Structures are given as structure tokens and as C-alpha cells.
Amino acid sequence: MSNAMRDAIDGAYIANSIRMLRSHHRGSFLVVEGESDKRFFDWFIDKGACKIVVAYGRDKALDALQRLQTPPLGGVLFVLDADFDILEGRSPPSVSVVFTDTHDLETMLLASPAFEKLLLQVAKEEKVDKFREQHGDLRACLLRCGKELGYLLWLSRKDGLNLKFEGLTLGDFINEKTLLLNPAEMVKAVANHSQRLDLKGEAFLARLTAMHDDAHDPWHVCCGHHLTEILALALRKAWATNDRGKLDGSMVERMLMLAYDEGLFATTQIYASIRTWEALHPPFIVLR
């Protein structure tokens, strides 16, 4: 699907599509934010009982949720990224909305043993061991970088700055060998990338620094797409084997999904929440 087609889809379109699909599908609908979320859940759903609908954005999904209330349509479950809602004290807006355990599905994958499985298959063991000796726990290094980007994204959302993160060259502000991030260079790179040259001053950097709080769970601050891009950078450079030059964040996400099995999924809160929803909304089934 082209970007123009995705942009044309809105909450009304999604809600109307589900109402029309109900005429020949009496089972449940699982609404997810994006194509990568669909690929994740395709493996876990009961495909005879549940159909996945992609909303192409969190706001569009929430709009569709509201539109499906009047008149109410049963059997529709929304699985959405927790995003920054948990940090801001917001719960899911409906009993038919389930949040991810962490910021998003990608952070859930990285927090799981799928991360270690990926490293065993893709990274060079000697380089990983040396890096760990010099810089400490690998996840901690990823989270350290990801938190800086996460706070900047959070500030952008709070202040309506519309900063652009997709397509950033991470090597402009993250050291490829140590994975240490330079906050001032990060702000400069994102401001340039977003054509917001007014955000380069010390005052803006101070506002960003003031957002940091040790009480914030880094798994909720960090955006999964940022972390997989940082991991791809590490796998191309600091932890590289000889054939990883073209590895990017999207490829890393697919590898993590392949390394993530049903047993891991069954231990998560999101799994328990979906099972609870099923129990409260018979006869609708989502998971196999």
C-alpha cells in the first residue's frame, strides 16, 4: 500500500470497513496500529475466529474505537502501543483496548530472550564479549541511547513540535564503537532533519534534560523503532560480522519476531489481557 493510500485511511474508514466485514465474519476483529503489528499477531491468532485490521496509526485506531460505540459493535479488540500513556498516568480508554507491556511491541521483543537469540545468530561473539567487558550490559547500552531519543520524542509530542525521527543518520550523534550518544548533537541532527533550526539553543536542550527522571521505566520511555535502529547500527559496527553492511532496523525487527515464540508470548501481560477480554466477551476468540 502506498503512503498516499495509507494517509487517506481514517478512523471513519476503519470503523465502516469493520461494520461491512461483520456481514460475513461473525467472529472477532483485532485492530492493530501497523503492518509490523499485524505480522506479529498473525502467528498467535485463531485465524478462523479472528480477523486482523490495520489502522495505520494510533490516533486513527482510537478514532475508530469511538465510532464503533454508536451503535455499539461487539467483538472488536484494539491492541495499541502503550506509547507514553503509562508514564503520563493514563490507562486504556476502554475495556476493549489492550496496551503493550512496554512502550510498543518492538520494546517487548527486545526485553525478551529473543534479543539474546538474535545476537547468537547475527553478532560476532568475540566482539560482543569485548564490548560487554568495556561498556557493560548490552541492553543497558541500548536503553541509554534510546532514552535520549525517547525523551526528545516525548517532548515533541507534548509541545506539538512535529519533529521527524524517521530516516535519521544515527552515526551523526551515536559513537559507532561505544554506543555513547551526544545529546547536543542529537538535538542538532533532529532539528536539522525536521527543519526546526529554532530548537538548537541551550534553552531547548535544558528543557529536554529536565524531563529526565530516574523513576521513569526506560522500557516505557524508549521507542522500539529507535532501539532497533540503534541495534542495527551496533550489529553493523561495534558487534559486526563481515556480512552485515546492509542490516537496518526493519530487518532487525523481523529477526526478533522470528526469534520470539509462543511460549514467550504466553508469559506477557498483553497475552493475559487478551485472554481476559475473551472471557468477558463470549463467544469471541482472538488467540489460538
Side-chain angles (χ1 to χ4, degrees):
M1 181 182 292
S2 69
N3 289 336
M5 292 176 68
R6 282 196 295 268
D7 291 343
I9 293 174
D10 58 15
Y13 177 90
I14 297 160
N16 290 337
S17 296
I18 292 172
R19 290 190 185 279
M20 287 189 289
L21 287 169
R22 174 59 82 214
S23 64
H24 58 83
H25 174 65
R26 307 310 298 174
S28 63
F29 293 96
L30 180 66
V31 182
V32 297
E33 290 188 36
E35 293 284 359
S36 62
D37 303 318
K38 180 182 184 300
R39 286 195 297 270
F40 178 87
F41 281 104
D42 265 337
W43 183 248
F44 300 116
I45 66 165
D46 183 327
K47 293 192 175 182
C50 179
K51 302 295 182 186
I52 298 180
V53 176
V54 180
Y56 298 103
R58 194 174 193 265
D59 291 341
K60 294 177 181 181
L62 289 170
D63 184 27
L65 171 69
Q66 293 302 315
R67 293 174 184 274
L68 289 170
Q69 306 304 311
T70 313
L73 183 72
V76 185
L77 176 65
F78 290 73
V79 171
L80 304 179
D81 292 345
D83 206 51
F84 298 107
D85 281 23
I86 302 301
L87 295 174
E88 294 179 348
R90 289 194 295 272
S91 302
S94 164
V95 294
S96 290
V97 174
V98 172
F99 280 167
T100 51
D101 292 22
T102 53
H103 188 101
D104 47 34
L105 281 174
E106 290 74 24
T107 49
M108 284 184 61
L109 292 172
L110 285 164
S112 80
F115 174 70
E116 282 79 14
K117 288 184 180 180
L118 183 149
L119 290 179
L120 285 173
Q121 296 299 317
V122 180
K124 192 171 184 64
E125 185 177 0
E126 295 86 352
K127 289 188 176 182
V128 168
D129 290 342
K130 184 177 179 180
F131 184 94
R132 188 182 286 113
E133 288 175 6
Q134 294 177 338
H135 305 288
D137 182 74
L138 305 185
R139 275 197 188 86
C141 292
L142 290 178
L143 290 172
R144 181 183 60 211
C145 283
K147 275 204 310 183
E148 298 293 341
L149 283 160
Y151 276 118
L152 185 55
L153 174 61
W154 193 5
L155 180 57
S156 176
R157 300 267 182 89
K158 280 176 173 287
D159 289 3
L161 302 177
N162 296 314
L163 296 180
K164 182 181 177 184
F165 291 82
E166 186 176 355
L168 279 171
T169 302
L170 298 185
D172 288 345
F173 52 89
I174 297 176
N175 185 295
E176 296 172 344
K177 294 182 179 180
T178 64
L179 294 190
L180 291 172
L181 181 147
N182 184 313
E185 290 299 319
M186 174 192 68
V187 169
K188 179 181 176 182
V190 175
N192 286 337
H193 192 59
S194 309
Q195 298 184 334
R196 290 296 305 269
L197 306 185
D198 56 308
L199 302 179
K200 292 185 182 180
E202 291 294 328
F204 182 77
L205 186 59
R207 172 152 169 66
L208 177 62
T209 302
M211 291 189 65
H212 289 58
D213 188 333
D214 289 341
H216 292 155
D217 183 344
W219 288 112
H220 281 285
V221 176
C222 293
C223 169
H225 294 306
H226 296 165
L227 291 180
T228 55
E229 289 292 346
I230 297 166
L231 179 53
L233 175 68
L235 291 170
R236 292 195 306 269
K237 302 292 183 179
W239 312 335
T241 54
N242 293 327
D243 57 350
R244 299 302 168 192
K246 295 182 179 179
L247 191 68
D248 62 15
S250 178
M251 294 171 66
V252 166
E253 289 170 16
R254 290 173 182 265
M255 291 177 184
L256 287 166
M257 284 188 194
L258 289 171
Y260 192 86
D261 60 37
E262 197 162 9
L264 294 175
F265 182 55
T267 66
T268 63
Q269 182 57 51
I270 195 173
Y271 175 91
S273 296
I274 293 172
R275 288 301 193 196
T276 297
W277 180 87
E278 291 175 331
L280 294 173
H281 298 85
F284 297 110
I285 298 296
V286 172
L287 302 174
R288 57 184 170 85

